[in-house]
Amino acid sequence: MPLLDPTVWSGKAAIGGWKATSGGTAPVIEPATGEVLERIGNATADDVSAAARHAAKAQPAWARLPYTERAAVLRRAGDVFAQHAEEIQQWLIREAGSVPGKAAFETDTAAQECYEAAALVSRALGEVLPSAEPRLSLARRTPAGVVGVIAPFNVPLVLAIRSVAPALALGNAVLLKPDLRTAVSGGVALMRVFEEAGLPDGVLHVLPGGADAGAALVVDPHVRVISFTGSTAAGRKVGAAAAENLKRAHLELGGNSALIVLPDADLEHAASTAAWGSFFHQGQVCMSTGRHLVHQSVADEYIERLARKAEQLPVGDPAREQVALGPIIDAAQRDKIHGLVSSSLEGGARLMAGGTYEDLFYRPTVLTDLTDASPAYTEEVFGPVAPVRAFADLDEAVALATASSYGLSLGILTGDVMRGLDLAERIPTGLVHINDQTVNDEVVAPFGGVAASGTGARFGGNANIEAFTETRWITARTTQPFYPF
């Protein structure tokens, strides 16, 4: 039987087993064609509450298992991802609009996230502290309890597993709420993988749903930590609700990342690098290159090369054609993209390529003659749009790069690596890539942004230990002390 056989999960959610939800069902739609591929359970606040209670009961036994047993489950999960990669990739292509290369990246990364998480459980989870008293004093990391994960539609598998896998490995139970638009590739796939890997019942629950389910997850008293990936506007609400309920929220939010092109950069390579940064997965990536800042001495040539790249990239249905860009996730997102492009053009921007669409297929777009008032330059577009502005010197480049509320990723293209590193020191971001574009991620690297891009590096490597555990102080004495009353 295929791993994702719909007879197992069709019309259901994973709430202590595959069950019907109180919110009925929602369609699983292929954006390229509009075809309804399946139906998925639509979880409500009542379903979230039931799953949270179940998870809270199951978590202590999971945490008490020998670390070798938890690690074995995570390793088997990585193997299951690898064994069923092609099947999962087909869902990523059809449900999320991914091109095959991007889908393969997601399944490869999911397997690696599980293998890396398996190694977390055998790392040092505490330290011996000095004490002025005759006692042993320890600081020990313990599971947070129940972790709530809210994942988005754009890179649905990776942006779910990067929190789910380490949280499970460190002894937590997890409630995952994937976006309804990618509930199979971002939710069902994870649940089925961990079922096959032997994860005990009740430790992982998958609850596709809308904003009401997400809100319920954040405030549920059984959930102690929230891992949210999504827009800055939604992240502010999640952070506020979590704070009001005295729980931690790790927020990985939006971006409008800058790519700075210095005059000594190799422009032939720069155009390719820049096109990937802006057009990969239709620009629907938080790290997408949203602002191209180019030295005025090479700006015209750079724009010409980038526009030529954009015009040559094929756009279409990735399940049926060999294309570079697939569909935008839905009509609302497409209309937002086109609205930002249109209003920028009305404000004086110049269109160098693209700016048109057919159905949900938006052409890769290059804009120039932009100002601080151009919406496609100042706002996060989340679409295949490359706005280009020229700068005169490094001080102006820094001023332009820092004139944003976001601080996620930064790319600098230069023939002088040390000058690139020095320039990066002047621009606050969570990620910096010298001689590369802004869309980069590795499972062993800390990931996160600053300012409106989130609450810092909370994922990847040892950062996961801090994210999904609590610190407990423990002391032990050989005899009880005497107190004067």
Side-chain angles (χ1 to χ4, degrees), residues 59 80 104 113 146 229 235 279 288 296 339 361 371 380 434:
Q59 184 270 329
V80 175
E113 287 282 3
V146 179
T229 304
F279 305 142
S288 287
Q296 60 187 16
F361 302 103
T371 70
E380 182 183 32
I434 309 300

Side-chain angles (χ1 to χ4, degrees), residues 5-99:
D5 185 346
T7 61
V8 175
W9 52 265
S10 180
K12 302 173 184 176
I15 312 170
W18 292 102
K19 299 176 181 177
T21 55
S22 56
T25 67
V28 178
I29 297 173
E30 181 178 31
T33 64
E35 178 185 347
V36 176
L37 302 174
E38 257 299 339
R39 299 195 71 84
I40 191 72
N42 185 7
T44 67
D46 289 340
D47 298 314
V48 170
S49 179
R53 292 193 300 270
H54 196 159
K57 291 179 181 178
Q59 184 270 329
W62 168 245
R64 285 195 299 268
L65 284 178
Y67 76 88
T68 52
E69 293 188 27
R70 295 203 308 274
V73 171
L74 270 296
R75 286 194 299 271
R76 288 196 296 269
D79 292 343
V80 175
F81 272 121
Q83 292 162 7
H84 295 273
E86 185 175 346
E87 181 185 352
I88 297 170
Q89 288 165 21
Q90 288 305 306
W91 277 99
L92 285 162
I93 292 167
R94 298 196 66 187
E95 181 188 39
S98 306
V99 298

Side-chain angles (χ1 to χ4, degrees), residues 159-206:
L159 298 183
I161 195 64
R162 73 173 181 187
S163 293
V164 170
L168 289 174
L170 291 166
N172 300 285
V174 175
L175 305 186
L176 168 63
K177 193 203 84 65
D179 192 299
L180 270 174
R181 291 170 290 185
T182 49
V184 179
S185 52
V188 172
L190 282 85
M191 189 70 220
R192 291 292 298 121
V193 163
F194 280 103
E195 286 178 331
E196 290 294 306
L199 185 71
D201 293 342
V203 178
L204 174 63
H205 303 258
V206 174

Side-chain angles (χ1 to χ4, degrees), residues 20 58 75-76 124 127 184 214 216 268 275 285 337 348 384 400 441 484:
R75 286 194 299 271
R76 288 196 296 269
E127 58 181 334
V184 179
E268 180 179 354
V285 182
I337 295 165
L400 289 171
D441 193 10

Side-chain angles (χ1 to χ4, degrees), residues 96-367:
S98 306
V99 298
K102 185 259 191 183
F105 162 77
E106 289 212 51
T107 54
D108 290 348
T109 300
Q112 291 303 317
E113 287 282 3
C114 291
Y115 297 141
E116 181 66 19
L120 281 178
V121 301
S122 57
R123 294 182 189 176
L125 296 178
E127 58 181 334
V128 178
L129 304 174
S131 178
E133 300 293 326
R135 61 190 178 189
L136 178 65
S137 180
L138 306 172
R140 182 185 174 197
R141 288 285 186 173
T142 60
V146 179
V147 172
V149 178
I150 302 175
F153 71 84
N154 56 327
V155 193
L157 182 58
V158 168
L159 298 183
I161 195 64
R162 73 173 181 187
S163 293
V164 170
L168 289 174
L170 291 166
N172 300 285
V174 175
L175 305 186
L176 168 63
K177 193 203 84 65
D179 192 299
L180 270 174
R181 291 170 290 185
T182 49
V184 179
S185 52
V188 172
L190 282 85
M191 189 70 220
R192 291 292 298 121
V193 163
F194 280 103
E195 286 178 331
E196 290 294 306
L199 185 71
D201 293 342
V203 178
L204 174 63
H205 303 258
V206 174
L207 302 151
D212 59 333
L217 182 59
V218 174
V219 302
D220 190 281
H222 295 98
V223 178
R224 297 311 311 151
V225 173
I226 298 295
S227 174
F228 173 85
T229 304
S231 72
T232 298
R236 292 184 193 279
K237 295 177 182 178
V238 169
E244 186 175 349
N245 287 271
L246 302 178
K247 59 182 71 176
R248 284 183 290 150
H250 306 302
L251 308 175
E252 201 280 281
L253 309 178
N256 192 10
S257 298
L259 179 68
I260 300 176
V261 183
L262 299 185
D264 58 352
D266 183 323
L267 292 187
E268 180 179 354
H269 290 140
S272 175
T273 300
W276 183 271
S278 283
F279 305 142
F280 173 70
H281 193 46
Q282 300 80 262
Q284 298 174 126
V285 182
C286 60
M287 297 175 284
S288 287
T289 302
R291 294 174 296 153
H292 298 243
L293 308 177
V294 186
H295 191 269
Q296 60 187 16
S297 64
V298 296
D300 288 345
E301 183 180 354
Y302 177 89
I303 292 168
E304 180 182 343
R305 288 175 179 268
L306 182 58
R308 193 181 309 132
K309 287 278 185 185
E311 290 169 347
Q312 294 172 352
L313 291 173
V315 180
D317 183 348
R320 298 163 181 85
E321 306 172 68
Q322 187 173 352
V323 297
L325 283 77
I328 302 301
I329 190 65
D330 59 24
Q333 180 61 24
R334 177 206 62 201
D335 292 346
K336 176 195 171 188
I337 295 165
H338 196 61
L340 292 172
V341 170
S342 298
S343 57
S344 297
L345 294 174
E346 291 168 3
R350 186 155 52 108
L351 182 67
M352 305 302 294
T356 62
Y357 64 86
E358 183 177 345
D359 297 324
L360 296 184
F361 302 103
Y362 205 95
R363 290 293 312 169
T365 298
V366 178
L367 300 173

